[in-house]
């Protein structure tokens, strides 16, 4: 039986929950700037994540830890100016919510007020429950993030698949149930076994959006620069490349270099 797709003028947190109950998969991609966000929004992607992966992708840091709240607000406000339909989710960066719930709320308020983003995302479960509750009580929608949580990379030690063992898988399911219970509107599940991810998605009514979590979840998210093939050195199994922009851009830059040096550019029709 085919599912009738509802046309959403603007995606809201409610639309995402509705999509899950209608069996419609949710698409999500990252963007950190106006130009990219305009293309992603115009292509009909449901959710734009202003991820703290900007720390790696835009700034060249090894981890997501160095990016600041001010930098996230800068990226998010550029994205928000471009968007007409997508829901914009903004990551709370490392150090802006872990110390106490009041600080978490202050950071979330700054993001909402100064960037115009529509919601925030925080990494973790039970440990940050009070912070999430405080943010939700202020009327700010929260997306959770479980599984591989890159802000804790120095605790994990590696970026390998999480929750392969029963104890960690059980905790992850408990955390997902908790995030649903306290009022998160969705959860990102990163790099966990597909069977576990499907079990989590089937156990809760809010959407589970996977990255490296298989096809049994309610939606998929990728880092846009990775799926466009701009980042050659990053090759996880879950990544599908839709373009080879690294090659395409290198060819264009080389041609431009040749044209400038050979005085082929600009020609008569390209000048005043
Ligand atoms: O920051 C980010 O891009 C993310 C995605 C990997 C989900 O959190």
């Amino acid at each position: 039986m085919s599912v009738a797709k509802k046309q959403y003028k603007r995606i809201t947190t409610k639309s995402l929950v509705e999509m899950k109950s209608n069996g419609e998969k949710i698409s999500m991609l990252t963007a950190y700037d106006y130009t990219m966000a305009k293309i992603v929004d115009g292509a009909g992607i449901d959710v734009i994540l202003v991820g703290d992966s900007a720390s790696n992708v835009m700034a060249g840091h090894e981890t997501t830890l160095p990016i600041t709240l001010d930098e996230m607000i800068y990226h998010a406000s550029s994205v928000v100016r471009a968007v007409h339909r997508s829901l914009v989710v903004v990551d709370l960066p490392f150090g802006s919510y872990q110390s106490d719930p009041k600080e978490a709320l202050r950071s979330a308020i700054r993001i909402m007020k100064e960037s115009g983003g529509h919601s925030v995302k925080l990494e973790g479960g039970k440990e940050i429950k009070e912070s999430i509750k405080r943010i939700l009580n202020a009327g700010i929608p929260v997306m959770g993030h479980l599984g591989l949580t890159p802000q804790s990379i120095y605790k994990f030690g590696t970026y390998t698949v999480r929750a392969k063992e029963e104890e960690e898988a059980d905790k992850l399911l408990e955390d997902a149930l908790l995030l649903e219970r306290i009022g998160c509107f969705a959860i990102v599940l990163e790099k966990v076994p597909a069977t576990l991810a499907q079990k989590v998605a089937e156990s809760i009514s809010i959407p589970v959006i996977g990255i490296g979590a298989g096809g049994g979840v309610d939606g998929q998210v990728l880092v846009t620069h990775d799926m466009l093939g701009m980042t050659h050195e990053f090759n996880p199994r879950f990544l599908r490349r839709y373009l080879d922009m690294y090659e395409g851009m290198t060819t264009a830059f080389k041609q431009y270099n040749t044209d400038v040096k050979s005085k082929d550019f600009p020609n008569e029709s390209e000048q005043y």
Side-chain angles (χ1 to χ4, degrees), residues 30 32 49 51-53 91 121 123 145 188 190 211 221 223:
T30 57
Y32 321 111
L49 172 66
D52 59 359
S53 50
D91 266 340
K121 175 162 83 59
E123 294 183 5
H145 185 152
V188 161
E190 180 164 352
I211 174 163
V221 54
V223 169

Side-chain angles (χ1 to χ4, degrees), residues 15 21 41 74 94 102 153 162 255:
S15 342
S21 52
D41 180 67
Y74 167 77
F94 177 71
K102 277 190 188 161
I153 182 59
R162 305 298 313 168
Q255 188 61 52

Side-chain angles (χ1 to χ4, degrees), residues 26 30 44 78 132 155 159 173 191 206 209 234 254 269:
I26 296 163
T30 57
S78 310
I132 295 178
K155 183 173 132 195
Y159 287 103
L173 181 57
K191 236 175 165 185
I206 57 170
I209 302 179
F234 184 59
K254 282 185 172 166
S269 69

Side-chain angles (χ1 to χ4, degrees), residues 36 225 228-230 232 243-251:
M36 186 71 89
H225 290 66
L228 291 177
M230 292 172 86
H232 255 187
L243 275 179
D244 188 347
M245 276 189 68
Y246 191 98
E247 274 309 310
M249 290 171 81
T250 303
T251 304

Side-chain angles (χ1 to χ4, degrees), residues 75-92:
H75 287 299
S77 53
S78 310
V79 166
V80 168
R81 281 193 284 275
V83 164
H84 293 290
R85 179 182 171 274
S86 311
L87 180 84
V88 179
V89 181
V90 185
D91 266 340
L92 279 188

Side-chain angles (χ1 to χ4, degrees), residues 88-163:
V88 179
V89 181
V90 185
D91 266 340
L92 279 188
F94 177 71
S96 72
Y97 64 96
Q98 285 89 349
S99 59
D100 69 76
K102 277 190 188 161
E103 187 207 29
L105 176 59
R106 263 196 306 276
S107 302
I109 287 177
R110 279 202 62 203
I111 289 201
M112 300 299 282
K113 248 180 142 60
E114 297 176 39
S115 78
H118 309 141
S119 56
V120 296
K121 175 162 83 59
L122 284 74
E123 294 183 5
K126 196 169 153 215
E127 322 72 46
I128 56 159
K129 174 178 139 196
E130 292 310 320
S131 294
I132 295 178
K133 279 168 76 175
R134 176 88 53 142
I135 296 170
L136 287 165
N137 283 341
I140 301 171
V142 175
M143 178 180 269
H145 185 152
L146 300 172
L148 175 64
T149 47
Q151 291 179 10
S152 308
I153 182 59
Y154 290 114
K155 183 173 132 195
F156 297 145
T158 70
Y159 287 103
T160 52
V161 180
R162 305 298 313 168

